[in-house]
Amino acid sequence: MKNEILVPVAVLVLFAATSAAVAQSAAPVAVTTPTEAPATQSMELTGSFVARRSARLSPRIAGLVAEVAVDAGDRVAAGEVLVRLDDRLAELEVAQAKAAVKEARAALSEAKRLRDEGRRLVRDRFLPESEVQSREAAVLMAEAAVAVSESEAATVSERLARHTVIAPFDGVVSRKLTEAGEWASTGVPVAELVGTDELWLDVRAPQESWPALADGAEVAVRADAFPNRPLEATVHARVPVNDPTARTFLVRLVISDPPPGVIPGMSARARFLLPRGGKVLNLPRDAIIRYPDGTTTVWIVTDGKARESEVTVDRFVGDIAEISAGVGAGQQVVVRGNEVLTENQSVRIVDNP
């Protein structure tokens, strides 16, 4: 009867010992070493995208609008005609000027013929020298007449060209401000053109951040319409004229290669990383374990054993956590396999647990 009872007890003892051995077996983990970096603080500002190039286009000469070749929203190329004025009278002036040029050139040709003929006759003593001089003067006058007529022809041709309003750069017509049949005057816009290939982001920054927002300040931009699409941006200029009522100044960012969906007028958020003095340790976000009570810890490997340490996380920047206390620069911190570790558990360092 005693033997029948002892057998189950031995089995239970063996099972418990085996479970304890399994529990204490080395767990595979991946580790990293914290990197030291300057402490920074983030500042998020809102702003609006503006076109680097925009223009309110007006005709260079007054006239009746004959044709409006574009409408709001049309994309145009540089040199494309947007508005055409009635140029019938200008065309007639050009034709008249061209005829005057032909007439002046014909007169010059005849003057040169008479001059050359006079030079031959004066050698044979059929004409006096004064007659040849008179004919040479006539050639000079004819040449001057040709120059005047060509200049007048160029003037009326330029006047004819000014009856069209052309796009000075590639862009999108944001507003059409005239219609056919209206009278257009110089200085009065007939269309607005906005370039969309190069964008600025204008934000208003508090005056306290003026020294820190230099050209090399790190910044991350996200358009409110596309919050999951980060945009590359750099600080282009700080305008040293502040708003006296709000105590802010303008910071202009250049957006590198903006995607097609981002257009002028959209709002965006710019997050600046500014130095605040001192040093912090950077760890991957995966190394941080957060508990419901707000406690944040990491697992540190020492002599092949895992030890949990509470840390102070200043902030998260993307996939990086900035640690100000709780871990040292040379310690090995678990980044993979830390979900099921227990205190003083043996670990085995591998690349991919």
Side-chain angles (χ1 to χ4, degrees):
M1 194 64 165
K2 292 181 179 179
N3 292 336
E4 294 177 356
I5 297 176
L6 290 176
V7 172
V9 171
V11 172
L12 291 175
V13 171
L14 179 61
F15 177 79
T18 303
S19 300
V22 171
Q24 295 297 326
S25 62
V29 296
V31 298
T32 187
T33 302
T35 58
E36 192 176 60
T40 59
Q41 62 181 359
S42 64
M43 179 178 63
E44 186 171 281
L45 303 174
T46 59
S48 299
F49 291 108
V50 296
R52 192 169 184 176
R53 294 188 298 179
S54 61
R56 293 168 59 88
L57 306 175
S58 60
R60 295 173 291 174
I61 194 171
L64 188 69
V65 177
E67 178 190 5
V68 181
V70 294
D71 205 342
D74 289 348
R75 184 174 293 274
V76 297
E80 188 172 338
V81 175
L82 307 181
V83 178
R84 194 184 306 276
L85 304 182
D86 183 8
D87 57 2
R88 179 55 182 164
L89 291 179
E91 289 179 345
L92 294 176
E93 290 177 353
V94 169
Q96 183 178 358
K98 289 181 178 179
V101 169
K102 290 183 179 180
E103 181 180 2
R105 288 175 178 173
L108 174 60
S109 179
E110 177 63 15
K112 288 181 177 180
R113 186 189 68 79
L114 294 176
R115 180 199 60 187
D116 296 340
E117 183 181 68
R119 288 174 178 175
R120 290 194 302 271
L121 293 176
V122 78
R123 287 196 299 268
D124 298 335
R125 300 183 182 276
F126 289 115
L127 284 177
E129 184 69 27
S130 60
E131 179 64 23
V132 175
Q133 294 176 354
S134 177
R135 294 184 180 185
E136 289 179 347
V139 169
L140 295 177
M141 294 176 64
E143 289 176 344
V146 169
V148 170
S149 61
E150 289 178 343
S151 177
E152 292 177 349
T155 300
V156 295
S157 295
E158 175 62 22
R159 186 178 296 116
L160 175 62
R162 294 192 176 195
H163 282 71
T164 56
V165 178
I166 62 175
F169 50 82
D170 296 348
V172 174
V173 178
S174 59
R175 283 206 298 171
K176 182 180 70 171
L177 302 175
T178 190
E179 290 289 351
E182 295 183 344
W183 183 264
S185 302
T186 58
V188 178
V190 295
E192 288 186 1
L193 183 65
V194 176
T196 58
D197 54 342
E198 297 179 338
L199 291 180
W200 282 334
L201 177 62
D202 286 351
V203 299
R204 307 295 302 189
Q207 61 183 4
E208 295 81 6
S209 61
W210 170 265
L213 288 177
D215 293 344
E218 185 177 352
V219 59
V221 173
R222 292 181 185 271
D224 290 339
F226 305 95
N228 297 324
R229 182 188 301 175
L231 304 177
E232 295 185 8
T234 55
V235 177
H236 174 70
R238 300 175 300 164
V239 181
V241 178
N242 67 349
D243 184 349
T245 58
R247 298 293 188 267
T248 60
F249 63 92
L250 176 65
V251 179
R252 176 157 285 172
L253 308 177
V254 175
I255 306 301
S256 303
D257 193 20
V262 178
I263 59 176
M266 284 185 173
S267 60
R269 299 176 183 272
R271 183 182 296 275
F272 295 87
L273 296 182
L274 307 178
R276 56 182 173 89
K279 298 288 185 178
V280 294
L281 295 178
N282 288 342
L283 279 176
R285 182 187 287 264
D286 292 339
I288 307 300
I289 296 177
R290 288 193 271 187
Y291 291 95
D293 62 355
T295 304
T296 54
T297 66
V298 297
W299 285 94
I300 299 174
V301 176
T302 305
D303 298 330
K305 301 288 186 178
R307 179 177 58 85
E308 192 172 19
S309 174
E310 185 175 348
V311 295
T312 301
V313 180
D314 284 357
R315 65 192 181 92
F316 291 96
V317 182
D319 293 331
I320 299 298
E322 291 187 352
I323 310 297
S324 59
V327 66
Q331 293 181 310
Q332 291 181 318
V333 180
V334 179
V335 292
R336 292 288 187 274
N338 53 358
E339 300 86 356
V340 294
L341 291 178
T342 59
E343 190 71 19
N344 292 323
Q345 181 178 355
S346 298
V347 295
R348 176 168 48 91
I349 298 175
V350 296
D351 291 335
N352 187 12

